[in-house]
Each structure stands twice: as structure tokens, then as C-alpha cells.
Amino acid sequence: MGPTDDFCGNCGTYLGWGETGAPQQAVTPRTTPEPPGDIPGTPPGAESPAQPPTSPQAESPASPQAAEPSSPQAPDRGKPTPARGSALVQPPARPPSEPAQASPAAGPDPEDTDPRPVQPARPVAPRPAKRVEIADTAVEGPPCPNCGTPNPPGRKFCRRCATPLTETAEETRTAQKSRKAGGSGALTRRLILLALLIALVIAGIALYPLGKRLVQDVLDKTSKTVPAVPVSVSATAELPGHPAKAATDGATNKYWGSPAVGASLEATFDQPIRLLTVVTHTGPSAKPEEFATEARPTLLDATVTTADGTTQSFSIPLADEPGPQQQDTAISDVVKIQLTVRAAAGLGPGKHIALGEVEFFRRG
């Protein structure tokens, strides 16, 4: 382990407590009052307490009764009993030449024979020692997966955060299974996303015309409708006094006269337009009394040519009655339209087909 490691490399134990040490409790042992005289612990040169005066009788040798030893049954009450956790302080031995002095009191001092209990001192925690930072030496090894600190090879726990650096065999197998499961799941998710993307592309290609038509319909309904006047009008057949141009002059008292079924009327525009509606007026006049004097078309085939050269055909059925009849088209980029008479009502000897007026409307 290095001097800057915070945790043990084998067990992961925090090493910071070893710097200041665990708190210690200071306990003061119980002591008995020290007798006067040469007391242990007294500084050298200190005077001992003065001895009390003695009587002449006390200086004489002790009587035989006093010298007799006490019986074995009687306990020695003159000696103090040492307290637990304390040492009994014995007075220093006197020289043999010095006689023993008798105490003036009849019995021993109770304070010397019966020690009092002493309250233990309050434990004080040691002062925290300032940690001395040691310059960390360069360590080469695998980084910790948690904090990224490099650790020497062979450690079991990170030296900074105590994260385990080794995996057990069971954990390794579990991690490998999880990675395999995650890999298969990721592949499945990628395949699903790819399938969804392909489906969206196909749907976009297939639904593009529908979407475009939907957008155009919205614009048709929200935009203003204005008349579209063709720059040129021609017909495959016409009668004298009833030219093809009379069908687009804006008046219903003049008409295009077709000699028979199958004749066509063609109108050309100067620029591509969004053709919204075709309004048709049949008969020679809008007045009811003049309407039946000539034959009237009842079915027209319309062929529309767009700017890119493509064509689109549809039929326009017409009722045999005076007045305008509307046919919605909604075709974009129209540059030309051709109307062919396919059926007519009121045909007979001396009568021709009369198409009173054709109007085109575009998006403004």
C-alpha cells in the first residue's frame, strides 16, 4: 500500500483512522491517602510533615501484650484494604535502631484504614492531528470503474473509494450473459427500426400522390376561384355563322354549331393552370322557348393535356335543360383541353348540335 491510499487493498478498510488513533478514555485510579513521611512521588528536598509529640511512655519498648501476634481468626483491621484498580502505598521501612513510635490516639485513623471512593475522570478525546498530504506517486494500473483512479495490479479494492476491482466467477458469468442478452436485444431493436424505416419509405412513396392531392384540395377550398380565358379556340368541324370561338365569348345567345356527333372543340391556355371547374351551357339559347329549336349535347368526353405532355380523360354528362351545368376537375398544370361530343338530344332533319357556352375556372 502507498502512503496516500485511503483504503486497504485486500479488505477495503478505511485507513484514515490510523493517523489520529481511536479516542482513549483517561481513567484516574482510586488511591488512598498517603501517610506522612517519606511519600513516594514527593519531590526531592521537600520537607516531610512534622511528627506529633510523644510521651515518655511511648518511647519505651512495647509491652509483651502488644508484641504478641494476633490470633489467626481475627482479621487484621489495622491495615488498609487496597481498592480495586489502585496500588496500596506502604510507608517506608524504619531502620532497626530507631524505635517505633506509638500513636497518641487509642485506635487507627479511620481515613487511613477506610479509603473513600473516587469519581473517575471524564474521558477526553484527543485532539485531531493535521493530516500531512504526501505527494502521490505515479501509479500505473487499471482505472477504478467508479472514480477512475489508477490502482496497482493485484489490488482488490480501489485505493480512493474502496470499490471492488475484481469480480467473482459468478458475477463474471452474469455480466457476460447480460452483455449477450443486451447485444441480441440491440440487434433486434436495430432490425425493428430498419423495418419501420423501410415501411415508412414505402408508405411515403405509395401515399405521395394521395398526400399531394390532399394538399391541393385544401388549397382549392381556401383559395379564390377566377375565370381562365383560353388564348385560342379551334374545332374539328363547325357550321357557318356558328364558329368554335362563339362557345367561349361569354354570351349564351351565340353558340358553336357541330354538324354531327364526334366533332371536337379545343381550347389552349397561355400558361399552365390549376383547372378547378368546367361550366357548360347547352342549346342555342338559355331561353326555354328557343332552347329546343336545335339539338343539344348530352355527353362530352374531355381530354386534358398538362405541361409535361401527359393526358387525362374524363366524361362530362349533361342534362337536357337550359342553364349552367358544373363539372369539377381539380387538375394541375393544364395547358390544353379538348371537348368531344359523344351524344346529343333532339337530332332530326335540318337540325345541328348547338353548344351555347363553355367556361373554365382556375385557382387564383
Side-chain angles (χ1 to χ4, degrees):
M1 292 182 292
T4 59
D5 293 353
D6 293 337
F7 295 90
C8 176
N10 294 327
C11 62
T13 303
Y14 182 61
L15 302 177
W17 297 116
E19 298 177 0
T20 58
Q24 300 289 337
Q25 294 186 356
V27 180
T28 303
R30 297 180 180 178
T31 58
T32 56
E34 296 180 355
D38 192 3
I39 303 174
T42 304
E47 296 181 359
S48 60
Q51 298 292 337
T54 56
S55 60
Q57 291 83 0
E59 296 178 0
S60 61
S63 61
Q65 295 179 356
E68 291 180 0
S70 59
S71 62
Q73 290 79 9
D76 190 358
R77 298 183 180 273
K79 297 181 180 180
T81 304
R84 184 177 182 182
S86 62
L88 181 61
V89 180
Q90 299 291 342
R94 295 179 182 271
S97 60
E98 184 179 355
Q101 296 181 0
S103 176
D109 190 358
E111 294 181 359
D112 296 340
T113 59
D114 189 8
R116 297 179 181 178
V118 179
Q119 184 177 4
R122 180 177 299 177
V124 179
R127 286 181 142 187
K130 184 178 180 181
R131 179 175 177 177
V132 180
E133 295 291 341
I134 303 175
D136 194 1
T137 57
V139 177
E140 295 182 358
C144 173
N146 182 34
C147 64
T149 303
N151 292 270
R155 287 185 64 94
K156 297 180 180 179
F157 297 89
C158 176
R159 60 194 184 98
R160 283 290 177 266
C161 62
T163 300
L165 301 178
T166 58
E167 296 180 350
T168 61
E170 185 65 26
E171 292 176 350
T172 304
R173 287 192 295 269
T174 304
Q176 291 176 355
K177 290 180 180 179
S178 301
R179 284 191 287 269
K180 290 180 180 179
S184 61
L187 179 59
T188 303
R189 288 192 295 271
R190 292 191 186 97
L191 293 176
I192 293 175
L193 291 177
L194 181 60
L196 289 176
L197 181 60
I198 294 174
L200 288 176
V201 171
I202 294 175
I205 295 174
L207 299 178
Y208 175 75
L210 180 60
K212 184 178 180 181
R213 189 179 304 115
L214 180 61
V215 172
Q216 294 295 338
D217 289 344
V218 173
L219 293 177
D220 293 343
K221 290 179 174 61
T222 56
S223 301
K224 184 179 179 180
T225 302
V226 295
V229 181
V231 294
S232 63
V233 179
S234 61
T236 57
E238 59 184 16
L239 295 175
H242 303 285
K245 191 175 181 180
T248 59
D249 60 355
T252 57
N253 57 351
K254 295 180 180 181
Y255 62 90
W256 166 58
S258 174
V261 175
S264 298
L265 177 72
E266 185 177 273
T268 304
F269 304 97
D270 59 347
Q271 61 182 359
I273 64 171
R274 171 74 174 175
L275 184 61
L276 300 179
T277 307
V278 177
V279 177
T280 307
H281 299 261
T282 62
S285 174
K287 297 178 181 180
E289 60 274 13
E290 298 178 1
F291 177 76
T293 58
E294 297 292 344
R296 290 84 51 195
T298 56
L299 180 62
L300 298 176
D301 284 345
T303 302
V304 177
T305 304
T306 59
D308 57 359
T310 60
T311 59
Q312 183 176 349
S313 300
F314 56 92
S315 298
I316 303 176
L318 300 172
D320 189 17
E321 59 185 20
Q325 301 183 46
Q326 179 176 328
Q327 177 69 35
D328 294 332
T329 56
I331 303 174
S332 299
D333 300 330
V334 176
V335 294
K336 183 172 60 176
I337 182 172
Q338 183 180 18
L339 300 176
T340 303
V341 179
R342 292 303 180 189
L347 280 175
K351 290 186 177 182
H352 57 268
I353 303 172
L355 182 60
E357 186 72 19
V358 179
E359 298 176 285
F360 306 102
F361 292 89
R362 65 178 179 85
R363 188 170 66 195

